[in-house]
Amino acid sequence: MPSPDDRVLWYPEGLQTPSEVSASPSPSPAESSLGETVQLPAPFFPPSLVQQDHPRGESTVPRGLPSTLNLPEVPKEKACKGIDSLDVGTPDAWIPRDPRMVRLTGKHPFNSEAKLKDLYAQGFLTPSNLFFVRNHGAVPKIDQKMAEEWKLNIHGLCSNPTTFGLSDLRSRFRVVTVPVTLVCAGNRRKEQNVVKQSLGFSWGAAGISTALFTGVYLSDVLEYIHPKRNAKHIIFEGNDDLPNGPYGTSQLLSWARDKRRGMMLAWAMNGLPLEPDHGFPLRLVVPSQIGGRSVKWLSRIELSENESQHHLHFQDNKVLPMPVSSDQARAEKHWWYNPKYIIRDLNVNSAIACPDHDEIIDTSSQPHNEVYVVKGYAYAGGGRRVTRVEVSSDNGHTWSLASITYPEDLFRAVTDFDSVYGELDLTDSDACFCWCFWTFDMPIATIQASRSITVRCMDESLALQPRNMYWSATGMMNNWWFRVCIQRLEDGRVRFEHPTMAGAQPGGWMQRLKDAGLDPSNPDFLPDPSAPGQINNTEGPKAEAQEVQMTKPGNGRKITITELGSPEAKEHAWFVVRGEVYMGSGFFDDHPGGAQSIMLVAGEDATEDFMAIHSSHARKQLADFHIGTLEGTVEAKASDDDEPPSGSFLSAKKWKKVVLVNIKDVSGDAKIYRFALEGEEQELGLPFGQHVYVRLRKKVTSTNVGEGELVQRAYTPLSERGARGFIDMLIKIYYPTTAFPLGGRMTLGLSELSVGDTVELKGPVGHFIWKGKGIASIHGEEKHVSEIGLVCGGSGITPIRQVLRGILTDASDSETKVWVVDVNRHFEDILCREELEQLTSEHPGRFRLHHSLTGKSIPENWTYSVGRITREMLTTHLPTPGDNKLVCICGPVSMERSVKAFLNEIGWDSSNQIVLF
Ligand SMILES: Nc1nc2c(c(=O)[nH]1)N[C@H]1C(S)=C(S)[C@@H](COP(=O)(O)O)O[C@H]1N2
Ligand SMILES: [Mo]
């Protein structure tokens, strides 16, 4: 590797060493104002213009950086060769361009951006053919000879005015390569134009690109030409020929002299000469400022007391105050000359690239706990770092942290010296000149439940992307939250919709809202407008005010409190949400939270819990089960009976936190979760036969800050009623299987927990209580029971076991007889088997136990039944029906149904002899 002292000439052309250069066959001499004749390597010409038949025509592919440096790949894409038919007949018809570029101002001049998806797919460094282009006019036609003779004239208030040829710059100053992201101030302007037409054309979110720029630091050149004391501004001029004179703008000289701001005079991009569109043969590169400051085709620099007087220095790249309309800005020139409104540094901004506009995913075919990786870019100005990227799925009500990668930081970790790139050394730089990338794992379930994905970021100065658009006449620096709308298709798939499509392309939710007469600057993408914590849109009309319809239109039936308490209502689990009555039994089979949680609210007002955990999708579904409007109100009560003794943990009204302290594997997928109550000596306060609601927020990823879905389900504890300080719960985790691809929402949520996490409990709930001394309470009615049958399947054992223990451990009851029928698939699946066996041996006269196994492998000396529950099994292993008798059932819905049907056949009365848990 050559050492820095070897440097003679730096040229953006492959593998030559300086000695090869001097020996190259046809060097073109270039006379510099320094009086030295230097050799320019041949060819020094943009690859797109190198003819195939050119003697060096093959050297159009950039040389990568040494792989040992472990830096982002230098784009290998070949330069375009063909002339795009759109350029034919324009002054630019000599420039090969990539037809994939989206033209934003018709054919000419060339203002274009790649498709956001294509741009993002390129990664950190953008190949020059997909690098956005902003040309105010025709591209100066510069051939090889003109490039070799290019003059940069630096003059004005300086002691050493000098005219440099490119080779002078290369040989006099340290040649450096720096990755820099350029962003046009108009990036994302289309969004502003949809709200109200600005003076500018419609950039999408791809008016941004990144390249390795090779050149010399402007600060080094300024040291050489020695500015005078009264010089305050440094003016740059390109040699494009525009109606109002050449393109030009200026910087504060103090900024330009500051090496840390990284301003460069650059001749190469990604290891090749600049393409004509990007300023061949020389441009200014101003990192972290708007692209408009990076003057292309740079030919003149002037040091001055005053800022640039170029037309476009005043008439462009400003953010005028919001109240100034486009017409006003056009008519009243003074706005443009007010120095306060100039834009220098970029502002914080971010956009979503994945999902792409119009991307469709099939959420229904994916497991609920599967995630979709949302991705995008973010940047800040002034060398500041993006310090957080946050994603919201509820229209900005709550936010989760995305993970960010900063490929630019890789450059800070290495140094290199290379004949193409010169010095690669950012080891002493803390400035962020480039975009960063972020990703966020969004659960499919969240996508299903929400209407938008929103991103915002914050930078080191704590500047945060705003919720509302700051519209201005130039439409520049648009950086409000970037929102992608989620649209549910009829077939269960979802389609994503970006805010706009660049240029004249149709599409995007902003135009759609506008066409619908809504305010596109005030979208309301809340999952449900009535959800708690809704942000009230105070400015402007409310867009998309879509209250979810939870009732059947035209259903005028009135339901009285008495009807709500009728046996029919209990049988079909009628419940109340927001004053409307619903028939819960219609949804037993499909309810993701299980049938039990619906049965538990039968006859009750379930508004609070329903609204807390159900998505707008679920709310919509509720309409199908609407049967009428309640006359009067139901007392909010969670238990039919006694309030728990004071001092015990549970509250019927309030969710209370418990901490997970232990997880114990039991068998197969079953685990015992132990949660600590508030006090070590505290009792739970749960009567025999009743349940507790467990509610938890699902974790999403390790980087997520608690934005998962809220899930809730009723469980019966495993711990003894008298247990103090803790509650044990036996949970069988339903992992996704091919037959049940979503797995159990609640149990998967539990499986994500680790010790130290919290869940919330509320209760007791349920209509059945074993009160002791042979007394049961069913829907508040007491009944004396002499014999009780308990039928359960799988983890349905937990409430059954509580009742069983309640009876057998009751010192004041030696009468009540218990029969248990427990059905499982395999022998190993039988939960609490040993305990059950032990209780039978302890209470031979009172407790009869029977099992059945439905699986294929049956243990050799199995003495119980095999196969599903039959009528005969229930006849033989339960008491005969009678007035003082009762059967309780707990298991999967299908089992509960068939057991109930058999019991009816045998002669059990549904209204007061059968209890479904
Ligand atoms: N000479 C000249 N320099 C120019 C421009 C121009 O039209 N002429 N456009 C400016 C603007 S507004 C932008 S955003 C950047 C775009 O650089 P690019 O076309 O290389 O992406 O160049 C800047 N430099
Ligand atoms: Mo720009």
Side-chain angles (χ1 to χ4, degrees), residues 131-137 182-185 203 237-240 242 247-248 269 277-279 283 290-298 312 316-317:
F131 199 105
F132 81 92
V133 178
R134 172 73 181 104
N135 293 338
H136 283 81
L182 292 183
V183 187
C184 181
W203 287 103
E237 189 176 275
N239 88 336
D240 33 353
L242 303 175
Y247 188 89
M269 207 165 129
D277 276 326
H278 299 295
R283 83 179 296 173
I290 55 159
R293 305 285 162 230
S294 293
V295 177
K296 302 191 274 191
W297 314 293
L298 182 66
L312 288 173
D316 200 359
N317 294 319

Side-chain angles (χ1 to χ4, degrees), residues 40 51 113 126 130 181 214 248 256 411 486 495 557 576 596 635 652 662 671 721 759 772 821 834 856 859 884-885 900:
L40 269 175
Q51 297 304 305
E113 66 180 77
T126 317
L130 292 179
T181 294
T214 301
F411 288 87
I486 302 172
R495 186 175 78 89
R557 180 171 168 192
V576 179
Q596 196 190 46
E635 283 296 310
N662 189 42
K671 294 177 202 291
R721 198 168 109 116
V759 303
V821 177
E834 278 155 21
K856 289 213 174 73
N884 288 341
K885 299 184 190 176
K900 198 173 158 225

Side-chain angles (χ1 to χ4, degrees), residues 596 600 604 638-644 650 652 684-693 714-718 721 727 762-771 777-780 798-800 802-803 917:
Q596 196 190 46
L600 287 173
E604 291 181 7
S639 159
D640 289 5
D641 225 274
D642 313 10
E643 270 295 303
L650 281 180
L684 183 64
L686 188 70
F688 289 115
Q690 297 230 296
H691 324 281
V692 278
Y693 272 130
Y715 285 100
T716 317
L718 186 67
R721 198 168 109 116
I727 170 174
K762 188 164 114 172
V765 284
H767 312 299
F768 178 83
I769 299 176
W770 184 260
K771 304 195 80 166
S777 159
I778 307 163
H779 286 291
T798 52
I800 297 298
Q802 288 290 13
V803 176
F917 277 155

